Amino acid sequence: MARLKYACDMDKSVLLNNFEARGWIPVSQDDDWNFYWANVQSVRNIFSIDSGYRLTDDQIINHFPNHVELTRKDLMVKNIKRYRKDLDKEGNPLAEKDEFGRYIHLDFIPQTFMLPADYNLFVEEFRKNPNTTWIMKPCGKARGIGIFLVNKLSQLKKWSRDSKTSNFTPPTSKDTYVISKYIDNPLLIGGKKFDLRLYVLVTSFRPLKCYMFRLGFARFCTVKYNASVNELDNMFVHLTNVSIQKQGDEYNAVHGGKWTIQNLRLFLESTRGKDVTDKLFDEINWQTVHSLKAVSNVISNDRHCFECYGYDYIVDDNLKPWLIEVNASPSLTSTTSSDRIMKYKLMNDLINIVIQPGQMPDVRWNRIPSKDSLGNFDVLFDEELAQQDQVLQDSKKAGPGVRGFKDLRGRPSPATWK
Amino acid sequence: MGEPPLTQKYMKELIHDLKASKLYTDLQNAAQVEVAKTHLRLSDVRKGVQTGLVNSGWDRKLRNAIFKYIQCHPKIPYPLPPADHMKEPLLYLRKAQQNWEKRILKSLNSMCTELNMPLARKRPEKEQRDIIHRWTELGTDGPDLTQIRPVYAPKDFLEVIIGLSNPNYHNGDAPGFHHLWGIVQVPLKVKSINKLRLQYSDMAINQGQSGIDDFGDIPPELFESDKMKIGKKVVNACHGPLAQEFSKKGCPTCLRATLWCQMLGVEIDEEDILYYEQLKVNVQQHDLLVDSLLYKDVKLTATNDDQYFVFEDFLYQVLLPFSRDTCVLKHFAQNSATPPKSYIRGKMGQEEYAVVYPPNGVIPFHGFAMYVAPLCYVFNEPVCLYYVFKELYCRYFFRLHSISSHPQGILAISLLFESLLQIHEPELYFHLKTVGCHPLKISFKWLVRAFSGYLSSDQVLLLWDRILAHSSLEILAVLAVAIFSFRKTNLMKVQSYNAAEAVLADLTTLQVIPLIQLSLFSK
């Protein structure tokens, strides 16, 4: 068999070590690669109409052309809102609401508005609850850049004055912001705030095939959490991004403020009980699936693409998870040695799922990896398998749960969308 | 048999102890409530009150209190030995412990002089307010620790242990044929593998175990659901011995906190909370040199540990009050160690001016904070965390850093490790010894810390489940042997101490319960 040729835009050891360990041959981006780990810019170029690039059956690449539908903060919110409305119209039991008009099962992103577009809507909401804190994020930026907290309308007015450099150009994605209700009751452990970074691999959106990586982690703030208004400007208290925390005096390079999901589970099971802990992780899985379902019809489901997303969740003190954002290019830089091992495994297991072991990439493959090649990934949802099982189940009128829901067992049936 | 009078003495002390406790007044009040009940006939007051107390759960509380007393107070031997024999019967070990204490104290004192720091000082008003203000985040802006170094590390302690020998013991002219293998040269009696098998029969392979059968992909209906069902019943019964029996096969994660409290007889009431608050005030008022030692230790161990860094601030909230807790002094009645004394300035050597220093009599060493760290996963509340740690320390962990002939002491545990490994893996033992790497030199630090910080957090807790359930530290030696057996193939290839240490450097991937089973029951 010919050796697999890879191209890579990033000089990251966890990537290159994996490729080398497999005996793959490095080629340039312009050569005939089989596997391309590209940055989003290159992907945009490849799929742009002008490039005239045609991918062959043995070429795969690590981003979907319009992944921004999921990974840009404003678009994700827009898509999830639309998804909920659609389900509601269908009369789907999932879109059930409580007496306050809130979705019972689908209320998993903090209330969010687009700025400047939704400014008036936001002001209306703000007036209703003047004592809430809101968090402003620029749509197109990552790693905590440009984020600030707001609890007075005057702060927002000042921002809008300052940022308006020219009134002639329409706002681009760089100038648009989302403003979300700040989760001000986060679950604290050891007095500190944290968020969860989970890795989700999608190999197809229609039918949806997605996998959850077991070795995600919790990122802690170095400074004790303090909800007081005086600390609003202290970003070390509020933001868990490693790139922010790294600048703090208290940053520890040995562990980098990262805790494994296993440790989090152990702590929660011991101190809060097993049932609520299981429920938390089930909910996280469901929210992830819903967020993917929300974009599955708008994403251009190119057969050559797969994508590994970094999902960020915050857990509040009622153990309810909130989806904060989805990253298209989760950092593959290793801050600590266990970080490197984890990310190496991530890449290794990922490759085993997107390419059949020992073979060349083949877009005609049915994308059903064998159980052995899942590694540290669990099947989160496989629409195709779920439908097959559904058919089987219908014919038998009985039988065990859907195969796709391996770790979603015990969920009451009205919560499924079938 | 001359037993009865002494059992009586034991009973007397037990009753004396109970009478001084809050339980006594509580029981009296409860009895009064029973007496006042209208359906009670005068003719059977006694019986009626007794059944009343049983029905209202007070008899369980009394039983638990007695159970706790028996666990913490060894039987009094006959004839009654002098007090220092109660601490340690062997004169040469007593002496060795005293010398070791002198050394620690000297090192502490010289650090004081060198750094020109007092052992204790009253904090100025402003600083006191500051401490209370920062109480839940003591980790940030702690004292300057650059000059502080740990008083001793397990390695230093091991050297002392290696140097021990019984002056009355002479093993003939052939230099050391009997004890030729190990580095612990003190002849103590340790258990054979068969005795250990009996003792830990609940851990046998045919028994369902938490830490194996509730792991990973095993469907819960095979083991976990039943275990939980029984576990909930046990927890509701609120009975120490029952909790212990149940926990011999491990504690389900979500019941661990309750089961441990029951086994240790820890039940937090208002009095306990008040007492803890008082200790906090003591921390607020005085700055001790040991505080810096404790700070330094946390910074060196837990703060850098990717499993425990989250709990840094909790550790201070436990360790600092602990150093002020004079109740801890009681455990020295069973401990071969004696609390160090310091004298008020200018009154050196005058007994009436002597004070125990630190107030709880325990000088922390490198790694001390790791006795607390794993507990932070189980108890989310500093007060509860505090009392569980105190009980664990005063029952078990103090034995891991004092020289004594007690079968639970570090000497006996080390010797047990060596003898088990020699019998189990003679080839491996001989190989390591030949390349100049005595196995105990690697495993000693594991034993002293009860494996905390070496295993992954869930595994430490599974191991400590068994320590509590069997009231014994011997499992530590068994696990250490199991680890050597498990890594045997690689260890047989090493040619130096450093290489052996590298093979055993990372234990975080190990599953302790299957390993223990392997070494106890496989051969």
Side-chain angles (χ1 to χ4, degrees):
Chain A
M1 193 188 80
R3 280 163 75 188
L4 197 149
K5 285 179 281 201
Y6 76 90
C8 187
D9 281 344
M10 275 150 273
D11 188 23
K12 292 279 153 61
S13 64
V14 286
L15 289 169
L16 301 177
N17 291 347
N18 257 298
F19 303 151
E20 275 162 28
R22 287 165 186 266
W24 292 3
I25 308 164
V27 296
S28 107
Q29 284 84 337
D30 306 321
D31 278 321
D32 286 333
W33 42 262
N34 303 108
F35 183 99
Y36 186 6
W37 194 273
N39 58 35
V40 286
Q41 189 58 45
S42 310
V43 174
R44 203 172 304 150
N45 292 338
I46 284 177
F47 287 107
S48 81
I49 308 165
D50 316 331
S51 76
Y53 213 103
R54 277 187 58 88
L55 296 180
T56 55
D57 278 353
D58 61 350
Q59 289 191 301
I60 55 171
I61 189 161
N62 67 324
H63 290 289
F64 284 92
N66 59 341
H67 62 83
V68 286
E69 294 287 345
L70 179 64
T71 58
R72 219 177 72 196
K73 297 170 187 88
D74 52 339
L75 295 177
M76 176 187 88
V77 171
K78 191 188 80 191
N79 282 317
I80 289 178
K81 283 183 179 172
R82 199 204 47 237
Y83 172 68
R84 294 198 291 216
K85 243 181 240 146
D86 289 351
L87 287 177
D88 203 7
K89 265 187 230 149
E90 279 173 31
N92 192 307
L94 265 176
E96 195 186 338
K97 289 181 187 170
D98 65 8
E99 64 262 43
F100 306 108
R102 269 192 311 241
Y103 290 96
I104 294 174
H105 307 293
L106 297 172
D107 178 36
F108 57 83
I109 47 172
Q111 195 172 25
T112 300
F113 298 95
M114 255 59 91
L115 288 184
D118 294 341
Y119 184 75
N120 291 334
L121 282 174
F122 168 72
V123 171
E124 198 183 313
E125 181 62 36
F126 188 90
R127 295 245 157 89
K128 269 192 230 157
N129 303 297
N131 285 326
T132 31
T133 304
W134 295 76
I135 185 162
M136 282 280 281
K137 298 176 184 173
C139 292
K141 296 204 175 100
R143 299 195 303 280
I145 297 165
I147 291 180
F148 60 97
L149 298 184
V150 169
N151 64 346
K152 290 194 193 74
L153 271 183
S154 60
Q155 292 163 310
L156 209 57
K157 285 182 182 138
K158 183 175 179 298
W159 163 80
S160 104
R161 264 199 316 277
D162 293 350
S163 61
K164 261 189 205 130
T165 44
S166 153
N167 288 320
F168 302 108
T169 48
T172 62
S173 85
K174 285 202 179 67
D175 306 321
T176 49
Y177 273 68
V178 291
I179 188 160
S180 315
K181 205 175 248 179
Y182 187 64
I183 308 288
D184 55 3
N185 60 334
L187 174 66
L188 304 180
I189 298 180
K192 295 187 185 87
K193 185 183 164 175
F194 68 96
D195 76 350
L196 294 177
R197 161 51 64 89
L198 302 168
Y199 297 96
V200 175
L201 170 66
V202 177
T203 56
S204 156
F205 275 94
R206 289 189 305 275
L208 182 61
K209 289 174 185 285
C210 52
Y211 305 84
M212 173 69 84
F213 193 55
R214 240 175 273 142
L215 311 179
F217 53 86
R219 298 179 291 191
F220 280 82
C221 290
T222 48
V223 183
K224 190 174 161 271
Y225 182 73
N226 184 342
S228 93
V229 181
N230 308 333
E231 292 282 352
L232 276 187
D233 289 335
N234 184 352
M235 282 299 154
F236 296 123
V237 177
H238 299 284
L239 297 188
T240 54
N241 304 62
V242 172
S243 32
I244 296 265
Q245 293 293 336
K246 243 178 163 169
Q247 303 159 16
D249 301 336
E250 302 284 327
Y251 182 78
N252 182 306
V254 182
H255 48 70
K258 289 178 181 172
W259 222 32
T260 62
I261 292 288
Q262 283 74 20
N263 278 334
L264 176 67
R265 232 199 144 95
L266 176 67
F267 174 80
L268 289 178
E269 266 189 40
S270 315
T271 57
R272 298 285 194 112
K274 188 167 167 43
D275 298 342
V276 287
T277 310
D278 284 348
K279 182 165 165 278
L280 167 69
F281 284 97
D282 276 358
E283 261 177 345
I284 288 178
N285 285 345
W286 275 93
Q287 295 185 2
T288 311
V289 174
H290 281 309
S291 68
L292 292 168
K293 287 291 286 181
V295 298
S296 64
N297 285 318
V298 288
I299 292 261
S300 123
N301 190 38
D302 195 293
R303 294 182 304 157
H304 302 91
C305 304
F306 64 92
E307 198 155 20
C308 178
Y309 301 103
Y311 266 74
D312 290 346
Y313 280 99
I314 284 185
V315 181
D316 71 19
D317 56 7
N318 305 313
L319 293 197
K320 176 177 168 54
W322 293 93
L323 175 57
I324 301 303
E325 63 180 61
V326 182
N327 293 278
S329 313
S331 162
L332 292 174
T333 314
S334 314
T335 48
T336 67
S337 66
S338 46
D339 207 35
R340 190 173 62 245
I341 296 169
M342 183 273 289
K343 284 174 177 162
Y344 185 88
K345 285 184 186 158
L346 172 68
M347 287 313 301
N348 181 49
D349 296 349
L350 178 148
I351 295 171
N352 285 339
I353 291 179
V354 298
I355 303 175
Q356 281 175 283
Q359 296 192 26
M360 287 304 234
D362 183 359
V363 298
R364 290 159 303 181
W365 175 42
N366 64 5
R367 290 165 202 251
I368 299 178
S370 77
K371 211 180 161 200
D372 306 332
S373 48
L374 288 178
N376 292 294
F377 278 101
D378 288 316
V379 179
L380 194 55
F381 186 61
D382 188 319
E383 208 166 13
E384 201 180 346
L385 288 180
Q387 273 161 4
Q388 285 173 13
D389 281 7
Q390 188 64 35
V391 173
L392 268 175
Q393 225 172 44
D394 288 347
S395 63
K396 282 190 198 157
K397 286 284 174 218
V402 179
R403 213 188 316 169
F405 301 114
K406 184 172 166 278
D407 40 4
L408 305 178
R409 60 190 139 90
R411 179 85 188 188
S413 54
T416 61
W417 51 81
K418 292 182 301 297
Chain B
M1 300 290 274
E3 285 250 334
L6 284 155
T7 320
Q8 260 173 29
K9 183 175 157 50
Y10 192 77
M11 288 293 289
K12 233 187 193 160
E13 275 174 22
L14 167 61
I15 288 164
H16 180 262
D17 206 73
L18 281 177
K19 273 191 174 162
S21 74
K22 189 169 164 288
L23 181 67
Y24 187 74
T25 32
D26 285 347
L27 270 172
Q28 234 168 9
N29 289 340
Q32 264 165 14
V33 171
E34 292 300 329
V35 169
K37 279 186 181 162
T38 42
H39 61 77
L40 205 66
R41 276 206 217 132
L42 204 58
S43 53
D44 47 23
V45 166
R46 192 190 170 90
K47 223 174 124 199
V49 169
Q50 268 174 355
T51 43
L53 287 179
V54 170
N55 291 337
S56 53
W58 282 103
D59 119 284
R60 269 288 141 81
K61 288 206 164 127
L62 181 60
R63 279 165 196 273
N64 280 337
I66 295 169
F67 175 65
K68 185 174 177 179
Y69 185 91
I70 292 170
Q71 287 231 306
C72 299
H73 298 79
K75 285 219 181 73
I76 305 164
Y78 178 83
L80 193 64
D84 40 349
H85 278 244
M86 288 290 282
K87 286 166 80 74
E88 170 52 53
L90 296 177
L91 179 68
Y92 74 100
L93 290 182
R94 213 152 61 216
K95 282 247 170 77
Q97 173 63 29
Q98 282 163 5
N99 284 335
W100 172 234
E101 281 163 20
K102 266 187 211 146
R103 241 180 84 183
I104 300 172
L105 213 54
K106 211 172 137 193
S107 147
L108 193 66
N109 280 327
S110 68
M111 187 154 57
C112 269
T113 3
E114 215 174 284
L115 305 177
N116 201 15
M117 283 168 84
L119 280 174
R121 69 174 177 93
K122 197 168 165 78
R123 289 186 213 271
E125 199 70 23
K126 190 167 159 282
E127 199 184 315
Q128 292 199 14
R129 274 199 305 272
D130 179 54
I131 285 282
I132 285 306
H133 181 67
R134 295 190 301 115
W135 183 251
T136 52
E137 45 188 327
L138 290 170
T140 21
D141 307 324
D144 175 31
L145 301 168
T146 39
Q147 304 283 316
I148 304 287
R149 48 175 200 274
V151 180
Y152 68 98
K155 210 174 66 187
D156 310 309
F157 188 44
L158 177 62
E159 271 167 38
V160 177
I161 285 191
I162 294 175
L164 292 176
S165 66
N166 185 349
N168 300 324
Y169 178 74
H170 184 59
N171 57 358
D173 291 330
F177 192 75
H178 176 63
H179 268 282
L180 84 172
W181 287 53
I183 42 175
V184 179
Q185 295 290 330
V186 179
L188 294 177
K189 196 167 176 219
V190 291
K191 282 184 188 149
S192 69
I193 183 82
N194 284 331
K195 273 217 170 121
L196 288 171
R197 274 180 194 152
L198 278 177
Q199 181 174 334
Y200 292 106
S201 58
D202 277 295
M203 293 189 71
I205 299 169
N206 55 6
Q207 307 273 342
Q209 304 283 335
S210 291
I212 300 178
D213 299 294
D214 52 0
F215 240 69
D217 286 340
I218 301 169
E221 52 280 12
L222 283 183
F223 170 75
E224 211 181 342
S225 337
D226 276 352
K227 177 93 181 172
M228 276 298 295
K229 221 187 277 166
I230 302 169
K232 279 182 189 150
K233 274 189 189 162
V234 170
V235 162
N236 286 335
C238 239
H239 193 35
L242 193 64
Q244 238 188 353
E245 202 52 39
F246 175 77
S247 303
K248 284 182 177 174
K249 289 171 197 160
C251 303
T253 310
C254 54
L255 299 180
R256 182 171 285 128
T258 324
L259 287 167
W260 280 24
C261 281
Q262 290 179 357
M263 286 192 275
L264 291 169
V266 171
E267 215 177 320
I268 311 289
D269 54 24
E270 289 140 39
E271 209 181 326
D272 295 323
I273 297 171
L274 208 66
Y275 185 75
Y276 176 80
E277 288 300 319
Q278 185 54 48
L279 295 175
K280 224 164 106 175
V281 172
N282 295 345
V283 176
Q284 180 194 353
Q285 286 171 344
H286 288 93
D287 182 20
L288 304 185
L289 179 72
V290 283
D291 292 357
S292 297
L293 289 173
L294 290 167
Y295 262 112
K296 183 78 178 188
D297 190 45
V298 172
K299 293 279 180 202
L300 286 175
T301 55
T303 309
N304 285 322
D305 190 306
D306 57 4
Q307 312 196 58
Y308 302 118
F309 72 92
V310 175
F311 302 119
E312 181 184 347
D313 291 330
F314 276 0
L315 297 180
Y316 302 123
Q317 291 172 48
V318 171
L319 289 168
L320 298 182
F322 180 69
S323 68
R324 276 39 172 208
D325 192 345
T326 47
C327 281
V328 177
L329 293 173
K330 273 191 228 153
H331 93 279
F332 284 103
Q334 277 100 54
N335 191 344
S336 64
T338 310
K341 290 228 170 91
S342 168
Y343 297 91
I344 289 167
R345 193 168 296 176
K347 308 283 184 188
M348 198 64 184
Q350 299 177 35
E351 261 321 299
E352 61 267 42
Y353 292 103
V355 283
V356 171
Y357 185 87
N360 71 343
V362 181
I363 294 179
F365 59 94
H366 181 49
F368 190 81
M370 294 314 269
Y371 289 145
V372 191
L375 304 176
C376 298
Y377 274 96
V378 189
F379 304 95
N380 194 21
E381 214 276 308
V383 179
C384 197
L385 188 61
Y386 179 79
Y387 283 100
V388 170
F389 164 67
K390 182 165 106 175
E391 202 58 39
L392 265 176
Y393 181 81
C394 295
R395 276 198 204 184
Y396 302 108
F397 294 150
F398 77 88
R399 298 206 186 276
L400 295 175
H401 49 263
S402 48
I403 302 169
S404 90
S405 60
H406 193 277
Q408 300 280 317
I410 188 68
L411 259 183
I413 301 291
S414 301
L415 196 63
L416 179 63
F417 164 75
E418 289 200 319
S419 74
L420 284 178
L421 192 63
Q422 284 158 12
I423 295 164
H424 245 283
E425 305 284 357
E427 197 188 356
L428 175 63
Y429 199 106
F430 187 72
H431 171 74
L432 288 175
K433 184 181 142 64
T434 328
V435 299
C437 167
H438 271 286
L440 187 64
K441 285 191 176 165
I442 292 177
S443 63
F444 190 71
K445 53 182 184 294
W446 305 340
L447 302 176
V448 171
R449 279 201 203 170
F451 281 96
S452 169
Y454 295 104
L455 301 169
S456 67
S457 37
D458 58 330
Q459 299 297 313
V460 176
L461 296 176
L462 287 168
L463 179 68
W464 289 12
D465 281 348
R466 271 68 176 189
I467 292 181
L468 288 173
H470 291 94
S471 301
S472 165
L473 292 164
E474 282 152 323
I475 198 85
L476 298 176
V478 176
L479 176 62
V481 171
I483 293 172
F484 273 81
S485 294
F486 188 63
R487 299 253 163 107
K488 182 178 175 185
T489 326
N490 286 331
L491 285 172
M492 286 303 288
K493 288 180 198 151
V494 303
Q495 292 302 328
S496 71
Y497 175 81
N498 286 344
E501 194 154 57
V503 171
L504 296 166
D506 183 12
L507 308 182
T508 51
T509 52
L510 299 179
Q511 303 280 324
V512 295
I513 305 305
L515 273 181
I516 290 172
Q517 288 184 329
L518 201 70
S519 97
L520 270 183
F521 301 108
S522 71
K523 283 174 200 173

